[in-house]
Amino acid sequence: MGNLRAILMPIAIVAGILIPQAHVFAPALPFFIGIMMFLTFVTKIPPQTHGYTFKIEIRALVASFVIIAVLWGIVTLFKLPREVLLGGAIIALCPPANAAPAMAKMLGGSASLALKIFLSGNLIACFSIPIVFGYLTGSDAPLSEVAMKIFNTIQPIISIPLAFALGLRAFYPELADRAAKYQKYTMIVWTVSVFVILAKASFDIREMGFTELWNSGKLPMMAGVSLVLCILQFWVGWICEKGRRPIEGSQSMGQKNTTLVIWVSSLYAGPVVALAPTCYVVWQNLVLSYMTAKIKKPQQQS
């Protein structure tokens, strides 16, 4: 799967940029998210040290708040466009990706721990994104109304696949086990999603005017802030868990469910803000390709 990913992902990125007409498939993104969610949720999770997953996710959540606070200060100090703050904030709040367990296993880490991190991270995001991102958007409507609107957008994509997966696991475990065997194919669904995401971004950039976006500084700033946050989050996640689980720590903070937040940011903050997590897709996959090539699998039980 690692070799297949190394081949397909660059093709998806280049094809998405060169074929903006594929943006017509963008309405299917929520369904892609749901499929990936279900295939990940239905996987049987073996028992593990109680509370450790929660500690990792709390560290990641605190780190995201610190990043947003620092970014807010920089935007205010240097009078940067507010889109920079919103784009960076949605990246920082973004939960771990569906492919994180498979990637953790590929790198020699614990897939089961990465799966638990994914589950808890996405549940936390159901509340952190509506409250924090809803506040930062600065809407004229009350925060409670904006937060509830964003929450009602996000939670069905997480709760419906989760309920379906748990129900299948509880009442039809044999079917759940058979469905779980397809979990490795979330990488394929993710690759298709990346193609559609970048096609949509390519279309939006052409519609808004590449020259205008570039000359205004918004496009390079979005690309720049997403690059800095990508490197920073992978590094912070690795350092925080260096003594015990660095691979899972870096995956929890660095590998993001960008499909979800690109969709949310497009709905509630506009296509310019969505450029930040879209650029993150490219940087994230470059970092993961580097990690796949450089990190040797440690001798540990997944």
Side-chain angles (χ1 to χ4, degrees):
M1 187 61 72
N3 294 332
L4 185 61
R5 179 191 176 280
I7 296 171
L8 291 180
M9 192 55 70
I11 293 175
I13 291 172
V14 174
I17 294 172
L18 296 179
I19 311 175
Q21 295 84 355
H23 79 279
V24 296
F25 297 107
L29 284 175
F31 298 98
F32 292 154
I33 299 171
I35 291 170
M36 290 188 288
M37 289 282 186
F38 169 74
L39 291 176
T40 307
F41 288 146
V42 81
T43 304
K44 189 175 182 179
I45 306 175
Q48 212 161 27
T49 305
H50 179 70
Y52 186 58
T53 304
F54 183 71
K55 290 178 183 178
I56 292 178
E57 268 311 302
I58 288 298
R59 289 194 192 107
L61 183 63
V62 171
S64 68
F65 288 157
V66 172
I67 288 172
I68 292 171
V70 171
L71 188 59
W72 197 342
I74 292 173
V75 168
T76 303
L77 181 63
F78 294 99
K79 297 180 180 179
L80 300 177
R82 190 166 182 81
E83 289 92 342
V84 175
L85 172 60
L86 293 174
I90 199 67
I91 289 173
L93 294 169
C94 185
N98 300 78
M103 182 57 63
K105 185 176 182 179
M106 193 183 302
L107 294 172
S110 169
S112 60
L113 177 57
L115 178 58
K116 284 190 171 184
I117 292 170
F118 164 80
L119 291 170
S120 57
N122 278 271
L123 291 176
I124 290 172
C126 270
F127 301 95
S128 62
I129 291 177
I131 295 172
V132 179
F133 192 67
Y135 174 76
L136 292 177
T137 53
S139 173
D140 293 332
L143 174 59
S144 58
E145 182 179 330
V146 176
M148 185 58 67
K149 190 175 181 180
I150 298 176
F151 175 78
N152 288 336
T153 300
I154 296 175
Q155 65 86 15
I157 293 184
I158 296 176
S159 63
I160 293 175
L162 178 60
F164 188 43
L166 292 180
L168 198 65
R169 175 63 60 188
F171 299 108
Y172 302 99
E174 292 183 0
L175 284 178
D177 288 337
R178 293 172 69 178
K181 293 179 180 179
Y182 292 94
Q183 198 272 334
K184 59 184 177 181
Y185 295 111
T186 54
M187 196 74 73
I188 303 298
V189 182
W190 166 238
T191 303
V192 175
S193 298
V194 167
F195 166 69
V196 176
I197 286 168
L198 291 178
K200 179 69 165 62
S202 180
F203 176 81
D204 288 341
I205 289 172
R206 292 164 196 252
E207 285 291 302
M208 290 183 286
F210 175 82
T211 303
E212 183 180 344
L213 279 174
W214 186 267
N215 291 338
S216 68
K218 290 182 179 180
L219 180 55
M221 279 189 285
M222 289 300 180
V225 72
S226 63
L227 175 59
V228 171
L229 288 181
C230 182
I231 296 172
L232 177 65
Q233 290 182 134
F234 272 105
W235 179 77
V236 170
W238 186 281
I239 292 299
C240 287
E241 300 298 327
K242 189 175 182 180
R244 191 169 178 181
R245 292 287 189 176
I247 292 174
E248 295 84 348
S250 67
Q251 293 299 302
S252 70
M253 282 203 66
Q255 190 173 3
K256 300 290 192 177
N257 189 359
T258 47
T259 310
L260 176 64
V261 294
I262 288 170
W263 183 54
V264 171
S265 56
S266 297
L267 288 175
Y268 297 103
V272 174
V273 173
L275 288 175
T278 301
C279 291
Y280 195 94
V281 172
V282 179
W283 309 136
Q284 165 177 276
N285 283 286
L286 290 175
V287 171
L288 291 173
S289 297
Y290 172 81
M291 292 176 71
T292 303
K294 295 295 183 181
I295 296 177
K296 295 180 179 180
K297 294 184 179 183
Q299 296 298 319
Q300 65 180 47
Q301 184 177 2
S302 294

